[in-house]
Amino acid sequence: MAEEIYARTILNSFKEPDPWFGIKYNMNLYRGCRHQCIYCDSRSECYRIEDFSRVQVKTNAIDLLRRELPRKKIKGTIGTGSMHDPYMPDEAKYGMTRKALEIIAANKFPVHIITKSDLILRDADLLKEIGKVYAAASITITTANDGLGLKLEPGAPKVSQRFTAIEKLAKEGVLTGITAMPILPFIEDNDDNLKAIVERAKDSGANYILFGLGVSLRDRQRDYFYNKLDAYFPGIKQKYEKVYGLKYWCNSPEYDRLKKTVQNLCVKYGMPTKMPFYIPEEPQADQLELL
Ligand code: SF4
């Protein structure tokens, strides 16, 4: 059961679209996440969420979006935020993401959704509609192995369900890819895993794959992650401590070699390692005269 809260605003803007995901505006419809990934960055102190397993839903978010979006002068891609997954199980009840997509479609704004859940299939109709402007669906997959996925992302749908979701979205004509991040050092940063992800991405009809060969770690997030490493991966915490100390960016020790491996695999399978972004339309002549 989610706790219902009120938000003051819903759309945050970035000066420029971010270079990885092309996102210009961000909205967090929920706080907290049922997927409970053991590496989740949103446990960090800066997000000020004391109990990350408790989900809060911003019940007035849709009214806010309805007011805020038409006032945005610059058309840019809307992302579905951090601190939650837009298709975690609560979404089946509250439908906040679907209602937000309806408003985005009505305002003809572009959207990029990042999720670990096949519940996104429910909204394929809206993604197709928004896709006439621009819609991208990135499904996060960091291992091709269901059993390992269950240890790392215990509340999220199985990895195999996520590949099936990619296949179905791609068949519907939705721009669909994989965010393969974070690839966890000493657990997922091996040739077999990377090869399996790229091969299955290709088989599923993914349009792109974005790799992140490492993980960021800080304060409370690191503590939680290390506890889970002790529970499920004995001896791995000690490797992290030895190699990274208190570093924030923890790239794979084999980063350079694996980057080449990934590049070669993606060339072999014809899989782009960058996603296409929304390209704003050129203003028409009569619009220019008004400016
Ligand atoms: S799905 Fe995203 S927000 Fe949710 S726990 Fe996993 S990493 Fe965190």
Side-chain angles (χ1 to χ4, degrees):
M1 184 74 185
E3 181 191 353
E4 299 187 359
I5 59 169
Y6 281 86
R8 282 200 294 269
T9 60
I10 198 64
L11 273 181
N12 300 319
S13 315
F14 301 117
K15 212 168 172 187
E16 296 293 336
D18 83 86
W20 275 86
F21 310 114
I23 288 170
K24 166 79 180 153
Y25 302 105
N26 226 348
M27 60 178 181
N28 284 300
L29 303 168
Y30 300 89
R31 290 178 94 229
C33 187
R34 304 266 181 224
H35 288 169
Q36 290 297 303
C37 308
I38 68 170
Y39 50 74
C40 181
D41 170 64
S42 297
R43 289 193 186 85
S44 306
E45 284 164 16
C46 59
Y47 294 108
R48 290 178 290 160
I49 302 180
E50 286 311 313
D51 179 0
F52 192 63
S53 60
R54 199 182 71 188
V55 169
Q56 297 175 312
V57 53
K58 299 178 182 177
T59 48
N60 64 333
I62 302 306
D63 287 339
L64 290 173
L65 186 64
R66 199 174 283 118
R67 276 206 303 273
E68 289 177 28
L69 191 52
R71 290 187 198 146
K72 297 294 178 196
K73 292 199 176 72
I74 298 173
K75 196 174 270 198
T77 303
I78 300 172
T80 44
S82 54
M83 298 187 273
H84 74 286
D85 186 303
Y87 288 104
M88 64 182 157
D90 305 73
E91 170 61 16
K93 174 180 174 193
Y94 287 98
M96 301 293 287
T97 303
R98 181 163 182 94
K99 289 176 206 161
L101 289 178
E102 285 167 352
I103 294 171
I104 290 167
N107 285 276
K108 300 193 184 316
F109 262 65
V111 75
H112 179 191
I113 289 181
I114 303 175
T115 182
K116 290 191 175 91
S117 175
D118 55 350
L119 182 56
I120 190 173
L121 292 171
R122 181 199 65 186
D123 295 342
D125 57 336
L126 280 169
L127 291 171
K128 278 166 69 177
E129 175 61 28
I130 300 169
K132 291 173 188 166
V133 178
Y134 172 94
S138 295
I139 311 289
T140 301
I141 292 175
T142 65
T143 170
N145 181 299
D146 274 345
L148 181 56
L150 194 62
K151 284 184 185 169
L152 301 175
E153 301 144 355
K158 283 184 192 166
V159 172
S160 48
Q161 287 171 256
R162 296 181 226 169
F163 277 116
T164 304
I166 292 168
E167 198 174 336
K168 289 185 177 170
L169 287 171
K171 276 193 183 136
E172 292 272 358
V174 177
L175 175 65
T176 309
I178 291 180
T179 34
M181 51 182 74
I183 296 292
L184 296 174
F186 308 113
I187 298 174
E188 297 175 305
D189 60 339
N190 57 74
D191 291 30
D192 287 349
N193 183 44
L194 300 176
K195 185 165 180 277
I197 293 175
V198 178
E199 281 178 354
R200 288 183 68 181
K202 182 70 183 171
D203 290 347
S204 308
N207 299 110
Y208 56 86
I209 182 160
L210 312 177
F211 273 100
L213 299 169
V215 63
S216 59
L217 289 177
R218 57 188 162 189
D219 50 70
R220 271 198 315 229
Q221 172 211 10
R222 183 192 288 110
D223 296 342
Y224 187 91
F225 181 58
Y226 281 3
N227 279 335
K228 293 296 177 185
L229 290 185
D230 280 343
Y232 299 124
F233 306 94
I236 297 293
K237 177 184 83 178
Q238 288 75 8
K239 290 189 180 179
Y240 271 79
E241 288 174 331
K242 188 166 171 216
V243 173
Y244 304 115
L246 293 177
K247 272 190 192 162
Y248 176 57
W249 287 111
C250 306
N251 278 338
S252 168
E254 293 200 88
Y255 182 90
D256 290 336
R257 185 185 74 76
L258 291 176
K259 192 173 168 197
K260 280 197 192 111
T261 301
V262 162
Q263 283 167 342
N264 290 339
L265 279 166
C266 289
V267 167
K268 178 178 169 189
Y269 289 101
M271 182 64 59
T273 52
K274 286 193 185 333
M275 64 182 296
F277 291 160
Y278 166 68
I279 299 170
E281 287 168 18
E282 293 291 328
Q284 301 299 307
D286 54 345
Q287 288 174 305
L288 284 171
E289 276 171 29
L290 290 170
L291 291 175

